[in-house]
Amino acid sequence: MAPEAHQKANHAVPQLADRTPSITGREIVAELVPPPQFEHASFENYRPDHDYPSQVEAVEKLQEFVNPRPAGFFSRRRQAKDDLPGIYLDGGFGVGKTHLLAALWHAATGPKYFGTFIEYTALVGALGYQETIKELRSAKLICIDEFELDDPGDTMVMTRLLGELVATGTRVAATSNTPPNSLGEGRFAAQDFLREISAMSANFETLRIDGLDYRRRNVTGQAVAVEPDAREHLVNTLLERGSKITEDDFGTLIRHLGTVHPSKYVKVIRDVDVIALRGVFLLTDQSDALRLVAFIDRVYDAEIPIVASGRPLNEVFDDEMMAGGYRKKYQRSQSRMVALTTGELPPHTD
């Protein structure tokens, strides 16, 4: 661990590690809307990369999904496979899947929800399965960002939940970096699990979106790491400005995240303008790494810049992790870390 990780913390600076929030099922439901940076996402302000025609085709397909055209008697378009109740955006990280999912949500009418996979599974944990069904059953559209498979039990619950909702008329749109038939490959092999995934994928039309990670088109592929003195200067300057900044030892924060359910991370970072981290180091425990990924996702959604010293933040996952079954999650997180870290003062916003 870097020596600076042991430096005495400035006790005038609040720490995320001191925050242990609670969250109720009703609060989770109230939060099931697109994150702030996608508050105004639309098909019109999506900027496709014209080197990748699938991005333009995705917009057209999603517009048809949200406003399905009835098939006439003489239409070649039949009410069969063309009209599956779900659509699945499959593509690499940074190709605009979340923007398109949010645009779909904004364009839809009637009751609708938008959340990450972990938010929906947390809702089941908070309300119970049957109460969650009752809560979501009126929805015309449910959007699930980052359908992931950290736990086969969670995934089986989610696929059954979607099956019940689809059966009562709810349409579902989801994103992932992995096609639905391939979810869980290399990680779980239980027959029940694979059967559940197969049943889910039968309800979805898969829409492949190719392209480059937009977060890395105009930046270097490295997260910014500052010297300890530079971090301290930035922290003090931001405090003098009156900015809401937190500062944590990296290891302490990682341990704290292990005591807080990931559904509560959104409250851990609430009302924070800048996050400062001391002594970033290489992670060797996969559970710690996955919690960090979930934390970075929430920080990215909230658009909170990170000032970090020690190891570059996108280099915290060890070689074994980057070669394993969760490598796509780590790669997406690395992309977000590159976009979030800064060595400069954020703009002054009074």
Side-chain angles (χ1 to χ4, degrees), residues 33-242:
V33 296
Q37 71 267 42
F38 298 110
E39 183 179 356
H40 303 292
S42 68
F43 295 127
E44 290 73 26
N45 61 26
Y46 174 70
R47 294 184 294 171
D49 185 337
H50 291 282
D51 289 335
Y52 296 91
S54 62
Q55 294 188 14
V56 176
E57 293 167 6
V59 172
E60 295 171 352
K61 280 277 192 179
L62 288 170
Q63 287 174 323
E64 290 179 9
F65 183 78
V66 75
N67 292 304
R69 292 170 296 181
F73 183 77
F74 294 105
S75 173
R76 286 183 294 176
R77 184 173 179 271
R78 295 297 181 191
Q79 293 265 326
K81 195 169 183 178
D82 285 354
D83 295 316
L84 292 172
I87 194 161
Y88 202 99
L89 308 184
D90 160 45
F93 29 86
V95 297
K97 298 188 302 296
T98 300
H99 181 117
L100 289 173
L101 190 67
L104 177 70
W105 186 90
H106 286 298
T109 58
K112 54 191 176 180
Y113 298 103
F114 182 109
T116 61
F117 179 83
I118 197 169
E119 286 173 311
Y120 287 107
T121 56
L123 181 61
V124 175
L127 293 182
Y129 183 83
Q130 291 301 328
E131 284 301 312
T132 301
I133 289 287
K134 290 179 184 177
E135 191 72 41
L136 302 181
R137 183 168 282 151
S138 64
K140 298 295 184 184
L141 175 69
I142 288 180
C143 295
I144 308 167
D145 199 21
E146 300 163 8
F147 202 110
E148 296 173 344
L149 301 179
D150 294 347
D151 183 288
D154 280 347
T155 305
M156 290 173 70
V157 167
M158 196 64 184
T159 55
R160 289 171 182 168
L161 180 77
L162 293 179
E164 289 201 41
L165 294 173
V166 164
T168 57
T170 300
R171 292 166 73 78
V172 179
T175 72
S176 179
N177 298 325
T178 308
N181 277 322
S182 300
L183 284 168
E185 280 185 1
R187 279 181 272 178
F188 310 116
Q191 288 186 348
D192 288 346
F193 175 75
L194 295 175
R195 184 173 61 248
E196 294 291 339
I197 290 298
S198 177
M200 180 191 72
S201 66
N203 284 319
F204 285 84
E205 175 185 1
T206 300
L207 196 58
R208 175 71 191 178
I209 306 176
D210 299 304
L212 301 174
D213 182 351
Y214 75 90
R215 291 181 287 267
R216 302 179 79 163
R217 289 175 193 165
N218 300 312
V219 296
T220 62
Q222 189 75 0
V224 176
V226 300
E227 293 297 321
D229 289 346
R231 187 206 69 249
E232 187 174 343
H233 172 72
L234 285 169
V235 168
N236 289 332
T237 303
L238 288 165
L239 284 173
E240 291 169 5
R241 278 186 180 182

Side-chain angles (χ1 to χ4, degrees), residues 14-18 246-253 275-279:
Q15 299 180 90
L16 296 177
D18 291 334
T246 60
E247 185 178 26
D248 288 82
D249 169 69
F250 182 69
T252 301
L253 178 61
I275 293 170
L277 297 174
R278 302 187 307 274

Side-chain angles (χ1 to χ4, degrees), residues 235-276:
V235 168
N236 289 332
T237 303
L238 288 165
L239 284 173
E240 291 169 5
R241 278 186 180 182
S243 297
K244 296 176 181 176
I245 182 169
T246 60
E247 185 178 26
D248 288 82
D249 169 69
F250 182 69
T252 301
L253 178 61
I254 291 296
R255 288 191 294 275
H256 180 64
L257 293 179
T259 69
V260 179
H261 190 277
S263 65
K264 300 176 184 176
Y265 291 171
V266 66
K267 277 195 165 183
V268 169
I269 61 171
R270 181 162 291 171
D271 299 324
V272 174
D273 296 327
V274 180
I275 293 170

Side-chain angles (χ1 to χ4, degrees), residues 280-295:
V280 176
F281 57 85
L282 182 70
L283 296 175
T284 55
D285 182 273
Q286 184 138 263
S287 294
D288 287 344
L290 290 171
R291 283 190 284 265
L292 178 62
V293 167
F295 175 76

